[in-house]
Amino acid sequence: MNPSIGTKTELLKSLVVSTGPCSRNPHKSGSYQCKMPLDLTSRKFLLLPMNYGGTQARARAKNVFRKYSTSAKMAESLTYKDAGVDIDAGSELVRRIAKMAPGIGGFGGLFPLGDSYLVAGTDGVGTKLKLAFETGIHETIGIDLVAMSVNDIVTSGAKPLFFLDYFATSHLDVDLAEKVVKGIVDGCQQADCALLGGETAEMPDFYAEGEYDISGFAVGIVKKDSVIDGKDIVAGDVLIGLLSSGVHSNGFSLVRRVLARSDLSLTDQLPGEAVTVGEALMAPTVIYVNQVLNLINKGGIKGIAHITGGGFTDNIPRVFPKGLGATIYGDSWVVPPLFKWIQKVGNIEDSEMRRTFNMGIGMVLVVSPEAALRILGDNEITAYRIGDVVNGEGVRYC
């Protein structure tokens, strides 16, 4: 492949710039402590008494990621699998590949280089592209592309060095491609990395008229003695959540099923928000690189999970040593109206929402209790204590 983006036009070339419930026994009254927020503004927490259980605990558990009431006429509950995405099949493929290439399965791949590791990641933006075609919003899809890869490699503590892209279409529309690449440039600037090159592939009859596909590849670097790998995580460590901008770039096959069921169009106002449905769904993925690296430099960060496909349920356990799991406090942050609307219209079960979407939290840091106090006390950081590390594998919702 040609390493230059500008293989077909100088216009594109000019854009390439550097730059347990809370307990193992969920039904046993008085068997656990929950640290729940007094309010989301102060981000301070109340330690509940040991006898806080029984009816109160079950009532609170029922309110986690509250499902909106649906009429008896509501269609059956939608699932990600019904929409065509089988997370379990994807996990099985990873398991089989791991037999052929041992060591894979993290958010990024590490390659030794002297006293450092190169950390590489690759991703696309999935069927969010379908909404880009429908809304005509192409200027920010490149930001999504960069975000999906650089957010993965920063979970190892790596600073992104450079990014490569792949843009494929049946017939090259230079003006449209320019918009997409401009978004990639913007994303690289946000991540403080270089857009090093890429490939523009024109493949007649392969894509529908006006459509395209994109993928991206990021490489970063981290000192071997500074790798964030989760091995020092222990029970009692704290989960800190960083807010997302919306759905980000996962779950759009299910989102599009919800849209088909809804009586709203992409140009209608989203209930509870001052933006249209299309604008809310196309909000670009947050690039967490600078924020996370700054927090790592202050110490106490033991593990980092990028909340993508698989949601909380599948992504958070990826950073834990064997034998450990997480308790998530469902009302420790405000779930954005967009997710509430998706769940209501799709009549989607709580467990399906948690395993498909980020629910308003795009990155989770596993930190020491001391680091948690420092982060939550920093008025320049919007972060929430969303849970704790516990003994016993899996994710529990409290």
Side-chain angles (χ1 to χ4, degrees):
M1 292 185 179
N2 191 331
S4 172
I5 288 179
T7 53
K8 297 189 169 40
T9 171
E10 287 300 314
L11 181 57
L12 294 185
K13 186 175 182 180
S14 67
L15 289 170
V16 183
V17 296
S18 294
T19 54
C22 307
S23 168
R24 296 299 302 278
N25 183 349
H27 304 296
K28 185 177 180 181
S29 176
S31 63
Y32 59 87
Q33 292 181 336
C34 282
K35 297 176 182 177
M36 308 299 292
L38 289 174
D39 62 74
L40 294 177
T41 303
S42 67
R43 291 170 286 160
K44 297 189 184 333
F45 290 75
L46 172 68
L47 182 62
L48 299 177
M50 286 295 290
N51 63 358
Y52 185 86
T55 302
Q56 296 180 54
R58 288 191 292 273
R60 182 175 292 275
K62 290 178 181 178
N63 288 326
V64 177
F65 298 140
R66 294 173 179 84
K67 259 193 321 190
Y68 284 67
S69 61
T70 56
S71 70
K73 296 181 180 180
M74 174 64 75
E76 66 182 42
S77 178
L78 293 178
T79 68
Y80 208 9
K81 188 173 183 178
D82 292 338
V85 179
D86 189 339
I87 295 176
D88 292 325
S91 298
E92 172 62 17
L93 177 59
V94 171
R95 187 187 68 80
R96 295 186 187 186
I97 294 173
K99 292 181 178 180
M100 299 179 281
I104 71 165
F107 289 99
L110 278 65
F111 184 84
L113 182 70
D115 63 352
S116 301
Y117 285 111
L118 292 179
V119 185
T122 182
D123 212 333
V125 298
T127 57
K128 189 172 186 175
L129 281 174
K130 287 287 189 181
L131 294 189
F133 305 150
E134 293 180 33
T135 61
I137 300 174
H138 302 281
E139 295 83 356
T140 58
I141 201 73
I143 297 175
D144 290 304
L145 185 67
V146 175
M148 294 305 291
S149 289
V150 297
N151 285 345
D152 272 353
I153 67 174
V154 80
T155 63
S156 297
K159 180 192 182 305
L161 296 174
F162 59 84
F163 186 83
L164 299 167
D165 76 275
Y166 175 80
F167 180 97
T169 186
S170 287
H171 174 72
L172 183 62
D173 180 332
V174 175
D175 291 335
L176 186 151
E178 178 187 13
K179 293 177 181 179
V180 175
V181 177
K182 179 60 167 61
I184 295 172
V185 170
D186 290 344
C188 287
Q189 290 173 340
Q190 291 183 36
D192 193 24
C193 68
L195 177 54
L196 200 60
E199 171 72 5
T200 303
E202 193 168 18
M203 302 184 291
D205 304 322
F206 198 82
Y207 298 94
E209 183 67 26
E211 296 191 356
Y212 57 87
D213 197 10
I214 53 176
S215 56
F217 316 87
V219 175
I221 192 166
V222 61
K223 293 289 186 181
K224 287 182 177 178
D225 58 5
S226 300
V227 172
I228 306 294
D229 56 12
K231 67 180 182 181
D232 295 327
I233 295 173
V234 296
D237 284 336
V238 177
L239 304 183
I240 299 294
L242 305 181
L243 295 181
S244 71
S245 58
V247 180
H248 281 180
S249 300
N250 293 98
F252 277 89
S253 295
L254 181 53
V255 166
R256 290 187 299 110
R257 287 293 182 93
V258 170
L259 278 169
R261 175 180 289 188
S262 170
D263 57 0
L264 297 181
S265 72
L266 290 170
T267 58
D268 288 327
Q269 183 173 330
L270 177 68
E273 293 281 50
V275 297
T276 67
V277 173
E279 289 168 341
L281 291 172
M282 289 301 295
T285 305
V286 175
I287 292 178
Y288 295 99
V289 169
N290 292 327
Q291 185 178 9
V292 169
L293 290 178
N294 287 338
L295 290 172
I296 290 174
N297 288 336
K298 295 177 181 179
I301 310 297
K302 298 183 177 184
I304 306 173
H306 184 200
I307 308 304
T308 56
F312 293 111
T313 304
D314 287 0
N315 283 297
I316 293 176
R318 293 170 67 181
V319 305
F320 290 151
K322 289 184 178 180
L324 296 180
T327 292
I328 301 294
Y329 307 128
D331 57 357
S332 57
W333 77 95
V334 177
V335 176
L338 176 59
F339 295 102
K340 296 177 181 179
W341 176 78
I342 290 171
Q343 183 170 21
K344 179 180 179 180
V345 174
N347 191 24
I348 303 171
E349 296 290 337
D350 291 341
S351 58
E352 191 72 16
M353 291 293 293
R354 299 171 187 143
R355 200 185 180 204
T356 304
F357 300 109
N358 64 60
M359 303 303 293
I361 299 293
M363 191 75 82
V364 174
L365 313 177
V366 185
V367 307
S368 66
E370 296 77 17
L373 290 174
R374 184 185 68 247
I375 294 170
L376 295 172
D378 189 337
N379 292 328
E380 295 183 359
I381 301 173
T382 302
Y384 297 93
R385 180 174 186 168
I386 66 167
D388 292 305
V389 179
V390 296
N391 289 312
E393 296 180 355
V395 178
R396 307 160 184 80
Y397 298 90
C398 179

